[in-house]
Structure formats: C-alpha cells, structure tokens
Amino acid sequence: MSQTTGQQMPPPPPSSALGALFPQAQQLAAGFPGLLSKPWVGGGTEGAVVPIGIFATLHALRIAYEVRKGAQASGRRPLLQELFTMLTFSFGGAVLTALMLGRTQPWLENNTTVPVYAGAYLLMSCVPGDLVYRFLRRTSPVSDVFLASVDGLIRGYGVTAAGVDLVRNTMRGQPVADSLVAWITVGTVLGSGGGIIDDVVQVSAASWGLRVPAMLSAGPSLDVKLSFCATVGYILTTHAWSFVEHAPGFPLSSSLDAILACVPRLSDQEAHLVSGLLCSAVLGTAAHAQACRLAAAERRALEAARRKKHDDTPSSGSGADDDVESESESD
C-alpha cells in the first residue's frame, strides 16, 4: 500500500505544443543529440572504434573551407597563421564562455577535438593539387549549403544545450544559474565567439591589431544575431524563466509571466531540435546567397582578365595594313 497520506504528488509535466501536433516529434528530439555525436565507425560514443564524430568532422571542414576562401580572396598567409585563425573561429565561443564562467576550456578536455579540426585545415590547404578545396569549389553552391546546414544544426544545439542549459542546470546552486543576463550572454557568445574575437583582434588579417569592433558601428553580424535569437527563442519556448520565481518583488512580474505564457511551450529536447533546424535553414540560405555572389564575382574577374588579354594582344592584320598604306603613299 503506497504511503501518500500527507504528501503532495508532483504536478504532471506541462504538455508540449509540438508533441501535440506531431506525436513523433519527441522521439526525433530525443535522438537528436545522439545523431550529432554519432562516430564514423562503431556504435555509441563510448564504444566507438574511431571516436571521431561525423558532424564534428563536417563542422571542422566547414570552418576550414570558409577560412581558406577568405585567405584565397585576401591573400594567403603562412600555414600556422591560417591554422590559428581556423582554430580561433572553431573554439572562440567556447574559450570566451569558459573564461566568463571560470570553467576548464572544453577543447582541453578531449583528445580528439583539436587534432580533428587542425587536420581538417591541413586537408584543405596541404593536399597536393588542392583536391579537397577544389572539389568543394567545383560543387558549390551545393557544398556550401550542405556544410552550412550542418554548422547550423550544431550551432543551434550548442547555444541551447551547451550554453543556456550549462548555466541554469550544470551550475545550479550558484548565483549565475539564476541570471537571465548570463543565460543570454553565454548562449550568444558561445555561438559567435570566434567572429567576435576576429572583429576585435583581426586574427584573419595579415597583421593583427586591436580595433573598435565593427559590430558596434555597422551592427552585429549574422552569427551574433542568429545566436542571440536562438538563445532567446529557447528560453521563451521552454518557459525556463519566470519573473515571479526569480524577481518576486518586481511589480510587473505577474503580468510579464502572463505574456510569456502565451508562447507555445516545447520540451527542452524539442527546443534543441527546433533551434538546430532553424539555425540550419538560416545558415544554409545565407551560404547559398554568398556562394552565388562569389561565383558571380569570379565570373566578372575572369571576363575582365580575358578582355585585358585580348586588348594587349596585337592584331594580326595590323602589320599588313601598314605595308599597304606605305606602298600607296610611295606610288
């Protein structure tokens, strides 16, 4: 006989709007983290024969590809400088958030992360004949959209699970765990920290130097905006923040909570999946537009080079015409 006298049963978990519309959504969302961490060979991450994730490798190739394209356009740098630039874009967000929270650098806790990302750039730059880079350029914009979409899946999951959830769950009991400012800041910086570092220090330039960040004058980049929106969207859809709970003395807490309650609720896992899919769609669309602009610029440069070569080449009939003119004058 169960002893329930005098004890209150915990309230049932609130229903999910997405799960009500699509019953399979919860199952897909539950398998999303396992998909992102799936290794190339073997079963789970612990018993994998080759403990290197498929999505981690594709993400490394995406960043290496973008850094190489930038170096190709602005002028190649020494290999070690380009490699450092690539690693900065790869781990910049994790570095900044770990410094802010006083935690161990995540890239130091894994034996494969740095070798995989460094190896991806070596493949992009040191393979004889530039086979990898040329293959991606020849298959553009398909390759650009595919790699950017993978990046979006990882970024959308990262800013929510490794950003917001890290602060509010893993660091529970510390004052920062109840800080909405910390949730938003960590999530945003985690998804765009590499670009922020480059904006301030110019690690992708030939010569480094501190400067006023361009995002303060020209506005935030797409990465910053996307990471911020994904972070705020995750907090709103999971109903993670309550003004009555965290700010009970604020006069408008009840009214603000009533407004937040109008947002359709998702479970944490469903919100991870939705965030990843939305970030993937945005980055994939942006990559397609950028690839089309780059292809158009390359065509214009090629046409200009051909016209210049044609103008510099002397006409084959000009010499004969001059001889005919001289003979007619002599007659």
Side-chain angles (χ1 to χ4, degrees), residues 195-256:
I196 294 175
I197 294 176
D198 181 55
D199 193 14
V200 176
V201 187
Q202 305 179 72
V203 294
S204 61
S207 299
W208 299 355
L210 292 174
R211 69 172 184 182
V212 177
M215 66 178 181
L216 297 182
S217 56
S221 64
L222 174 63
D223 289 338
V224 176
K225 295 177 182 177
L226 183 61
S227 300
F228 174 81
C229 291
T231 301
V232 174
Y234 176 72
I235 296 172
L236 293 177
T237 55
T238 57
H239 294 189
W241 178 265
S242 169
F243 283 94
V244 172
E245 177 185 356
H246 294 91
F250 187 58
L252 300 178
S253 292
S254 300
S255 301
L256 292 175

Side-chain angles (χ1 to χ4, degrees), residues 41 95 103 135 147 160:
V41 181
V95 169
R103 297 176 62 87
F135 171 78
L147 292 176
T160 55

